[in-house]
DNA sequence: GCCGCGCCCCTTTTT
DNA sequence: GGGGCGCGGC
C-alpha cells in the first residue's frame, strides 16, 4: 500500500534510529530508558500515531497513561496534531487516577461489595482531612497530639503500599502508626458511608476489581491492547500492578496483549515520597522478560551548557547508572546566576528580566518562559511582582480558586445532587446561606441519623419524626429537605450550567452574595465556576455532573491565568502568559527560557530533606529535572534573605550550585544588575555588593561546610544574547477571514480576521451559539480548519 | 447564635 | 503571611 509508506515516511521522518525502532516495534513489551529531552514522549506520541495510521489499530485500543494532568493535556494536544481530532478523541489519555475513576464508574454494578454506588464522589484533599478529623473524634483521639496531616500521610502511605488497616497495624513500627491504623479503619468506614473515595482508593479499588473479577479485566484487556506509560519511573506499586494486570494478567490468570510500552528515566524519579520506586523497572523486566529495551542518547531539547550543568548536579548521586546524553544544538548560552537581596527582590529580578527579554525580542511570547520553584508558597512573591509589572502569568496546579468558600459551597450542592448520601457536603451547606439550622439542630440530626442508621440526607427527609427537635427547627429542616428534593428533580430538566444557576437562585445564595458589595467578588467566582461548567452543557446533565465533579476533584479545574491589571481569572487558551510552576509539575515539559528560583539551602534542597541521604538525592534529581526543562537559557536565582512564616531568615546558596563548574556561568545580564551580582572571595567567603554591607559575617557561607569545593567568581563578562536565539515563527498567517474552524470548547465558527503580532498569529472568530466573538492566539488555541 | 480577635501551626512535592 | 480554631463579647 503506497500511502502507507508515505505516511510511514512522514511519521518516521523526525525520528532518529533508536526512536524509529521504538516506534515501529508495535508488538510486545518495550522498555525505553533514556535521559531528559531524548524524545521519550515523542516516541510515545509517534508510536501511537504509527499504530493508528500505519498499522490500522483502532484508536480506542490505545491507552496512554501520564502522571500529571498537565502532561495528559499536552499529550492529547500532540496527538490531535498527529492523528486529528476525531481519532485522538477515541483514545484514552489520562492520569492513572482519571482512568481508574472512569473504570470504577463504568463498573458501577460491581461496586456494591466495596460499599459504593455509581454516583460515588471523589473527595478533595480538604474533605479527606475533614473525614480524618471526624475519625479522630470518633475514636476520642486528641487532634493536637495526632495531627491530621501526619495521620493522613501515614494512611496514604499504607494505602499506596496496598496495606489494609489490619496489615498496617501489624506492620506498625511506632505507636503513632498503630494509632493511624485505627484511624485508617474508621476513615474507610466514613468514606464508604459517604459513598465516597479518596485518591488512593481509586487505584486500590480498580486493582482489586481487576484482580478479582477476571471477566471485567478481560474486557479492559480487550479494549486497551496498546498500553503506554510515560514517566514510568514514578509509578508506585498499585499503579504498576494495574499496568501488569492490563498487559499481562495476574499470575494465576495470564492474559492481556503484552503490548506495553513504558518510558522513563531513573534520574528523574521525584515521587518516591508517593511510593514510586526504581523496583518497578526491575519488576517490569521480570514480568515482561521478553521486553525489548531501547536506550536513547541524543538530547534534542537543550544546549550543551545546560545539559552539562544538569549532569554535574545529578552525577553526585550514588547508585545511579550513568547514561550517555549529548546534544547537537551546540554549547549555547551560559547559565545566568543571580542572587537577590531577599525574596521580594528575587521576584522583582525575574519580572524585570522577563520584561527585558520581551522588549529585546529575545523571546517572542510570554508562553516561552517558565518560572519554577520548589514549593507552592514561593509563587506568591513572584505573583506580586508580576502583577506590579503587568506581566500576564498562569500558575499551574493552583487550587486557589477551588479552595474559595463560595466555590466549595456550590460544589457541595452539586455533589449532593449527584450523591445525596454525601453527608460531608450536606453538613457543609445545610446552613449556607443561613436558614437557621445551627450546630445544635445539625448535631441533633446527626446523632439521630446515626442512631437510626440513616444517612444525613434520609434523616433530613424524615426529620418530622425526630423525637426531640422543636417546631421551629423541624420547619427549617423540612423546608430545606423540600428544597433539596426540588433541586434534585431539576437535574432531569436542566443542562449543567442552568442547574448551577438554579442552585444559586433557589438556595438564595446568589441573591445574598449579589446584595452586598463584599459579595460581589464571590458572586463573580460563582459565575466563573459556571463558565467552567459550560464546557459540559452539551452532555446529559447527570453524566455532566459526574464528569464535571470528577474533573474538579482530579484536575483541580483549569490552570488559572491572571491578567496584570484587574486580577480577573482567565482560561489557559485566552492569552499568552508566563508559566509559574513547581519543579514537580514541570516534569515532562520544556520551555525556551527557564528561571529556577530559590536555589537556597533549605528550599532546594528542601529543609525537610536535608537530613536524609535518600531524600537529598531526590532533591538533586528535582534540580536535574528543573535544569533540563530549559531549551536555550537557564537562570538560577536565589535570595539571601527570605521571609519564612512571617519572619526573616538568612539563607545560604544551595549546595547544588557548588556542583556546577564556574565556567558554565555567565554573569548577570545588564549593567545595573551587575551591581547586584555577587561573588565568592578566595577564602570561600561570600560577599554581596548590593544594598547594605551589614556584617553578617558570623553566618557561615556557601553550604556551610568549609570542606565544600569553593567556587571562584563566575566570569564577569557582559551578557550578550545571540541573535540565533530569537525564535522564529511562520511569517504567513494560517487562517484567512472566511475560514470555517472548529474549537474544542467553543465549537464551530468563522474566522473574521487574522493578524500577525510579534510573530504570533491571532484570529478573531465568530462562534456559533452563545460563545460569540473571540480573539484567540494560535499559540494556544486549538483550532481545526473545517472544509 | 454571630462575629471578631488572637493564638497556633504551618510548608515540601501530586492525584 | 495566612488559615483554622477556640474563646469571649454582643
Ligand atoms: N528525532 C528528533 N528530531 C527532532 N526533535 C526531536 C527528536 N526527538 C525529540 N525531539 C524534540 O526534543 C524535545 C524533547 O522531547 P521529549 O519531550 O519527547 O523528550 P523526553 O525524553 O520525553 O524528555 P523528558 O524526560 O525531559 O520528559 C521535544 O521538543 C521533541 O520534539
Amino acid at each position: 500500500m503506497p500511502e502507507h509508506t508515505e505516511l510511514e515516511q512522514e511519521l518516521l521522518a523526525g525520528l532518529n534510529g533508536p526512536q524509529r525502532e521504538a516506534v515501529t516495534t508495535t508488538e510486545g513489551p518495550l522498555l525505553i530508558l533514556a535521559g531528559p529531552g531524548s524524545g521519550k514522549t515523542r516516541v510515545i506520541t509517534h508510536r501511537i500515531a504509527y499504530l493508528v495510521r500505519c498499522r490500522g489499530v483502532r484508536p480506542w485500543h490505545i491507552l496512554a497513561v501520564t502522571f500529571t494532568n498537565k502532561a495528559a493535556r499536552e499529550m492529547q494536544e500532540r496527538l490531535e496534531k498527529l492523528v486529528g481530532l476525531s481519532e485522538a478523541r477515541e483514545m484514552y489519555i489520562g492520569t492513572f487516577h482519571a482512568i481508574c475513576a472512569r473504570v470504577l464508574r463504568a463498573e458501577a454494578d460491581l461496586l456494591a461489595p466495596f460499599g459504593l454506588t455509581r454516583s460515588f464522589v471523589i473527595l478533595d484533599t480538604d474533605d479527606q482531612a475533614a473525614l480524618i478529623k471526624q475519625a479522630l473524634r470518633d475514636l476520642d483521639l486528641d487532634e493536637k497530639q495526632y495531627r491530621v496531616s501526619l495521620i493522613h500521610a501515614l494512611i496514604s502511605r499504607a494505602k499506596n503500599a496496598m496495606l489494609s488497616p489490619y496489615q498496617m497495624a501489624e506492620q506498625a513500627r511506632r505507636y503513632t502508626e498503630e494509632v493511624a491504623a485505627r484511624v485508617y479503619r474508621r476513615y474507610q468506614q466514613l468514606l464508604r458511608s459517604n459513598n465516597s473515595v479518596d485518591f488512593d482508593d481509586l487505584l486500590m479499588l480498580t486493582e482489586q476489581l481487576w484482580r478479582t473479577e477476571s471477566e471485567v479485566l478481560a474486557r479492559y484487556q480487550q479494549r486497551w491492547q496498546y498500553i503506554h506509560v510515560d514517566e514510568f519511573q514514578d509509578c508506585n506499586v498499585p499503579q504498576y500492578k494495574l499496568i501488569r494486570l492490563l498487559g499481562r494478567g495476574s499470575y494465576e490468570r495470564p492474559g492481556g496483549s503484552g503490548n506495553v510500552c513504558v518510558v522513563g528515566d531513573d534520574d528523574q524519579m521525584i515521587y518516591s515520597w508517593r511510593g514510586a520506586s526504581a523496583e518497578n523497572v526491575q519488576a517490569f523486566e521480570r514480568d515482561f522478560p521478553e521486553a525489548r529495551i531501547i536506550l536513547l542518547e541524543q538530547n534534542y531539547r537543550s544546549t550543551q551548557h545546560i545539559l552539562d550543568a544538569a549532569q554535574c548536579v545529578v552525577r553526585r548521586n550514588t547508585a545511579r547508572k550513568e547514561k550517555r546524553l549529548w546534544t547537537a544544538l551546540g554549547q549555547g548560552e551560559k547559565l545566568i546566576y543571580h542572587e537577590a537581596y531577599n525574596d521580594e527582590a528575587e521576584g522583582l529580578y525575574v519580572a524585570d528580566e522577563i520584561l527585558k527579554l520581551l522588549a529585546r525580542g529575545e523571546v517572542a511570547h510570554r508562553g516561552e518562559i517558565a518560572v519554577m520553584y520548589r514549593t507552592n508558597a514561593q509563587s506568591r512573591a513572584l505573583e506580586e511582582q508580576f502583577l506590579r509589572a503587568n506581566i500576564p502569568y498562569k500558575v499551574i496546579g493552583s487550587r486557589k480558586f477551588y479552595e474559595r468558600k463560595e466555590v466549595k459551597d456550590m460544589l457541595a450542592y452539586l455533589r449532593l445532587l449527584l450523591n445525596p448520601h454525601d453527608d460531608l457536603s450536606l453538613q457543609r451547606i445545610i446552613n449556607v446561606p443561613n436558614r437557621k439550622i445551627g450546630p445544635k439542630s445539625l448535631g441533633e440530626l446527626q446523632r439521630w441519623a446515626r442512631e437510626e442508621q440513616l444517612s444525613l440526607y434520609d434523616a433530613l427527609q424524615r426529620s418530622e419524626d425526630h423525637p426531640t427537635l422543636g417546631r421551629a427547627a423541624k420547619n427549617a429542616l423540612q423546608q430545606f429537605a423540600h428544597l433539596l428534593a426540588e433541586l434534585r428533580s431539576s437535574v432531569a430538566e436542566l443542562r449543567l450550567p442552568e442547574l448551577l444557576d438554579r442552585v444559586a437562585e433557589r438556595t438564595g445564595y446568589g441573591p445574598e452574595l449579589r446584595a452586598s458589595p463584599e459579595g460581589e467578588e464571590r458572586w463573580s467566582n460563582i459565575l466563573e465556576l459556571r463558565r467552567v461548567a459550560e464546557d459540559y452543557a452539551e452532555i446529559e446533565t447527570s453524566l455532566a455532573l459526574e464528569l464535571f465533579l470528577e474533573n474538579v476533584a482530579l484536575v483541580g479545574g483549569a490552570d488559572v491565568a491572571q491578567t496584570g491589571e484587574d486580577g480577573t481569572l482567565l482560561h489557559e487558551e485566552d492569552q499568552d502568559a508566563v508559566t509559574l510552576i513547581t519543579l514537580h509539575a514541570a516534569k515532562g515539559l520544556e520551555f525556551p527560557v527557564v528561571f529556577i528560583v530559590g536555589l537556597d539551602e533549605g528550599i532546594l534542597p528542601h529543609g525537610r530533606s536535608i537530613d536524609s541521604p535518600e531524600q537529598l538525592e531526590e532533591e538533586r534529581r528535582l534540580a536535574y529535572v528543573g535544569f533540563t526543562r530549559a531549551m536555550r537559557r537557564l537562570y538560577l536565582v536565589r535570595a539571601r534573605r527570605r521571609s519564612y512564616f512571617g519572619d526573616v531568615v538568612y539563607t545560604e546558596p544551595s549546595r547544588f550550585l557548588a556542583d556546577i563548574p564556574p565556567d558554565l556561568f555567565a554573569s548577570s545580564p545588564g549593567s545595573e544588575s551587575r551591581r547586584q551580582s555577587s561573588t565568592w572571595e578566595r577564602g570561600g567567603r561570600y560577599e554581596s555588593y548590593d544594598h547594605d554591607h551589614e556584617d553578617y559575617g558570623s553566618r557561615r557561607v556557601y553550604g556551610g561546610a568549609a570542606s565544600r569545593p569553593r567556587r571562584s567568581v563566575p566570569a564577569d563578562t557582559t551578557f550578550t544574547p545571540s541573535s540565533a536565539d530569537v525564535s522564529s515563527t511562520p511569517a504567513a498567517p494560517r487562517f484567512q477571514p472566511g475560514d470555517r474552524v472548529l474549537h474544542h470548547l467553543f465549537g464551530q465558527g468563522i474566522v473574521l480576521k487574522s493578524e500577525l503580532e510579534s510573530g504570533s498569529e491571532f484570529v478573531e472568530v465568530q462562534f456559533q451559539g452563545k460563545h460569540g466573538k473571540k480573539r484567540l492566539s494560535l499559540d494556544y488555541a486549538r483550532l481545526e480548519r473545517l472544509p
Side-chain angles (χ1 to χ4, degrees):
Chain A
M1 284 186 265
E3 320 97 299
H4 261 200
T5 45
E6 213 171 285
L7 270 176
E8 219 169 305
Q9 299 270 308
E10 187 193 320
L11 271 174
L12 300 180
L15 299 172
N16 64 29
Q19 288 176 332
R20 274 183 207 190
E21 186 190 344
V23 165
T24 53
T25 305
T26 58
E27 307 303 305
L30 192 58
L31 171 63
I32 301 171
L33 292 175
S38 57
K40 296 185 296 295
T41 308
R42 187 182 176 100
V43 163
I44 290 191
T45 52
H46 282 244
R47 189 172 186 272
I48 291 172
Y50 182 82
L51 282 164
V52 172
R53 293 179 54 184
C54 303
R55 292 285 166 99
V57 172
R58 309 305 296 145
W60 48 85
H61 288 313
I62 305 277
L63 175 71
V65 193
T66 63
F67 279 82
T68 62
N69 302 301
K70 177 105 181 130
R73 245 175 296 146
E74 297 246 323
M75 186 167 295
Q76 177 88 39
E77 277 165 32
R78 288 195 205 183
L79 276 165
E80 282 170 12
K81 292 207 181 90
L82 284 174
V83 301
L85 199 59
S86 56
E87 302 264 65
R89 279 203 177 146
E90 293 296 319
M91 305 174 178
Y92 202 97
I93 302 161
T95 62
F96 273 105
H97 291 85
I99 290 165
C100 290
R102 212 50 69 80
V103 169
L104 292 175
R105 201 82 76 185
E107 306 304 328
D109 303 344
L110 298 166
L111 296 181
F114 302 134
L116 295 169
T117 72
R118 180 186 165 89
S119 48
F120 71 84
V121 293
I122 303 163
L123 296 193
D124 66 25
T125 317
D126 282 353
D127 289 334
Q128 292 169 32
L131 279 194
I132 301 259
K133 203 174 278 184
Q134 178 70 48
L136 283 167
R137 266 186 228 136
D138 290 351
L139 296 172
D140 274 323
L141 292 164
D142 181 8
E143 280 173 53
K144 295 252 159 59
Q145 196 179 349
Y146 299 101
R147 280 208 328 277
V148 171
S149 59
L150 175 72
I151 300 295
H152 193 192
L154 289 174
I155 291 174
S156 180
R157 206 208 293 161
K159 290 175 100 169
N160 277 312
M162 309 196 75
L163 299 175
S164 67
Y166 178 73
Q167 290 166 317
M168 182 184 183
E170 264 193 337
Q171 298 187 15
R173 301 163 81 229
R174 313 151 154 228
Y175 184 59
T176 318
E177 285 177 19
E178 198 180 297
V179 174
R182 277 162 54 207
V183 181
Y184 176 10
R185 190 156 161 256
R186 178 73 191 133
Y187 170 66
Q188 290 300 125
Q189 288 170 349
L190 290 171
L191 277 170
R192 293 307 177 262
S193 65
N194 255 302
N195 194 21
S196 59
V197 299
D198 67 10
F199 298 128
D200 303 323
D201 285 335
L202 290 170
L203 304 177
M204 291 186 66
L205 293 175
T206 306
E207 195 273 342
Q208 205 173 327
L209 183 71
W210 280 356
R211 182 162 37 80
T212 54
E213 303 286 334
S214 50
E215 327 80 70
V216 176
L217 176 60
R219 259 192 285 125
Y220 286 95
Q221 288 171 334
Q222 274 281 315
R223 158 113 207 213
W224 289 320
Q225 294 179 12
Y226 294 89
I227 302 157
H228 301 82
V229 187
D230 203 358
E231 312 285 4
F232 181 66
Q233 74 278 357
D234 283 320
C235 256
N236 64 21
V237 171
Q239 289 167 337
Y240 177 70
K241 292 204 166 170
L242 289 169
I243 292 302
R244 193 197 184 281
L245 282 168
L246 209 50
R248 181 120 290 176
S250 59
Y251 293 101
E252 302 82 45
R253 280 174 194 268
S257 63
N259 300 325
V260 184
C261 169
V262 304
V263 312
D265 175 4
D266 46 354
D267 284 331
Q268 293 187 62
M269 196 188 74
I270 55 175
Y271 285 101
S272 58
W273 49 274
R274 203 170 74 174
S277 128
E279 277 166 40
N280 283 325
V281 176
Q282 288 150 30
F284 185 85
E285 290 181 304
R286 190 186 61 233
D287 292 336
F288 298 88
E290 78 279 28
R292 178 99 65 105
I293 298 174
I294 293 176
L295 308 176
L296 307 174
E297 298 184 332
Q298 181 171 0
N299 173 298
Y300 290 92
R301 177 183 296 144
S302 313
T303 51
Q304 192 68 52
H305 287 321
I306 292 170
L307 278 190
D308 286 348
Q311 287 189 299
C312 287
V313 171
V314 84
R315 203 167 271 147
R316 295 178 67 98
N317 277 349
T318 58
R320 71 176 269 281
K321 278 179 254 164
E322 176 75 24
K323 281 190 294 287
R324 232 173 83 82
L325 197 61
W326 61 279
T327 176
L329 298 176
Q331 299 283 290
E333 297 173 24
K334 295 196 169 181
L335 278 61
I336 297 166
Y337 174 68
H338 179 79
E339 188 171 78
Y341 174 71
N342 59 13
D343 43 0
E344 191 188 339
E346 187 182 47
L348 190 65
Y349 168 76
V350 174
D352 260 9
E353 208 57 31
I354 288 172
L355 290 178
K356 283 189 210 153
L357 287 169
L358 291 163
R360 293 193 207 120
E362 291 170 46
V363 165
H365 318 287
R366 293 179 282 259
E368 292 174 18
I369 304 170
V371 188
M372 304 179 183
Y373 36 81
R374 176 66 235 262
T375 67
N376 286 307
Q378 287 171 264
S379 77
R380 198 178 19 85
L382 294 161
E383 286 184 69
E384 277 169 14
Q385 298 305 325
F386 283 20
L387 282 172
R388 201 182 311 183
N390 246 306
I391 301 171
Y393 63 89
K394 55 185 171 201
V395 186
I396 305 297
S398 169
R399 290 207 48 104
K400 280 218 182 67
F401 179 69
Y402 289 92
E403 281 166 4
R404 316 205 125 201
K405 175 173 164 15
E406 61 275 17
V407 175
K408 287 174 93 168
D409 289 340
M410 281 302 286
L411 289 172
Y413 272 109
L414 295 180
R415 293 208 312 204
L416 211 50
L417 299 188
L418 178 67
N419 172 24
H421 301 296
D422 184 350
D423 290 2
L424 216 52
S425 293
L426 182 50
Q427 277 170 56
R428 181 177 180 91
I429 47 81
I430 194 165
N431 202 30
V432 179
N434 193 336
R435 36 178 89 85
K436 302 217 153 52
I437 305 175
K440 261 176 85 186
S441 308
L442 174 60
E444 187 45 43
L445 191 68
Q446 281 177 306
R447 194 199 53 74
W448 185 61
R450 213 170 165 179
E451 193 177 281
E452 303 283 314
Q453 309 247 352
L454 297 170
S455 75
L456 198 56
Y457 182 82
D458 290 335
L460 178 69
Q461 298 294 336
R462 293 191 212 167
S463 52
E464 270 308 307
D465 304 338
H466 190 285
T468 55
L469 279 171
R471 192 67 257 153
K474 281 190 177 179
N475 283 346
L477 290 171
Q478 277 302 303
Q479 223 179 338
F480 183 55
H482 285 131
L483 174 65
L484 282 186
E486 179 206 314
L487 287 174
R488 259 163 60 79
S489 69
S490 46
V491 173
E493 299 159 20
L494 301 171
R495 303 263 159 204
L496 187 61
E498 286 81 45
L499 184 64
L500 246 97
D501 294 339
R502 173 144 327 163
V503 170
E505 299 315 309
R506 294 287 298 130
T507 59
Y509 203 17
E512 181 184 285
L513 291 180
R514 290 193 301 267
S516 72
E518 305 88 71
E520 212 168 291
E521 192 194 334
R522 298 174 58 201
W523 173 243
S524 72
N525 285 325
I526 291 183
L527 291 180
E528 172 63 19
L529 186 68
R530 187 192 190 280
R531 240 193 76 170
V532 180
E534 274 168 21
D535 295 350
Y536 299 82
E538 306 306 318
I539 307 170
E540 190 266 315
T541 308
S542 65
L543 181 63
L545 253 184
E546 274 175 26
L547 295 176
F548 176 64
L549 292 173
E550 178 182 305
N551 195 52
V552 169
L554 293 179
V555 183
D559 302 322
V560 172
Q562 219 148 8
T563 58
E565 292 125 294
D566 51 6
T568 33
L569 303 170
L570 290 168
H571 284 276
E572 187 165 19
E573 68 259 34
D574 286 357
Q575 67 168 332
D576 181 27
V578 173
T579 298
L580 303 191
I581 191 169
T582 63
L583 289 163
H584 281 90
K587 185 164 54 98
L589 309 181
E590 63 187 16
F591 299 87
V593 176
V594 169
F595 291 83
I596 300 180
V597 298
L599 274 148
D600 309 322
E601 285 291 300
I603 302 279
L604 183 66
H606 194 272
R608 296 253 169 153
S609 302
I610 270 171
D611 301 325
S612 138
E614 291 82 37
Q615 288 188 59
L616 206 51
E617 295 213 341
E618 185 141 317
E619 297 289 310
R620 220 172 254 290
R621 291 193 291 270
L622 201 49
Y624 180 70
V625 166
F627 285 24
T628 55
R629 299 309 94 196
M631 295 164 74
R632 55 185 165 86
R633 190 182 293 184
L634 176 59
Y635 288 87
L636 303 180
V637 188
R638 86 171 209 91
R640 247 172 291 133
R641 301 158 175 71
R642 209 169 264 290
S643 36
Y644 239 31
F645 309 134
D647 39 30
V648 176
V649 168
Y650 300 105
T651 64
E652 294 168 358
S654 166
R655 65 190 72 188
F656 303 152
L657 289 167
D659 300 327
I660 305 168
D663 57 338
L664 291 181
F665 285 104
S667 79
S668 326
S671 56
E672 115 259 32
S673 47
R674 176 136 23 122
R675 249 190 305 117
Q676 297 184 351
S677 76
S678 58
T679 178
W680 286 276
E681 282 182 345
R682 218 171 285 153
R685 194 183 137 72
Y686 174 76
E687 195 181 350
S688 59
Y689 290 132
D690 61 329
H691 296 277
D692 44 10
H693 279 272
E694 303 147 70
D695 188 13
Y696 299 105
S698 60
R699 280 178 301 109
R700 249 205 327 229
V701 261
Y702 210 60
S707 60
R708 250 180 202 297
R710 69 185 73 95
R711 294 290 123 226
S712 60
V713 188
D716 196 4
T717 53
T718 311
F719 169 78
T720 38
S722 95
S723 57
D725 293 318
V726 183
S727 82
S728 54
T729 28
R734 268 171 60 208
F735 290 98
Q736 307 254 313
D739 283 355
R740 298 199 337 114
V741 292
L742 178 67
H743 186 272
H744 69 297
L745 296 180
F746 306 134
Q748 288 190 22
I750 303 217
V751 175
L752 298 176
K753 75 178 175 211
S754 162
E755 53 202 15
L756 292 175
E757 216 174 272
S758 49
S760 314
E761 185 175 347
F762 290 85
V763 289
E764 203 172 292
V765 181
Q766 177 70 48
F767 287 101
Q768 290 174 4
K770 61 188 167 308
H771 294 298
K773 224 191 292 182
K774 289 212 187 294
R775 191 176 140 87
L776 306 164
S777 161
L778 290 192
D779 294 327
Y780 292 95
R782 295 186 237 154
L783 270 192
E784 276 218 336
R785 192 193 304 277
L786 293 174

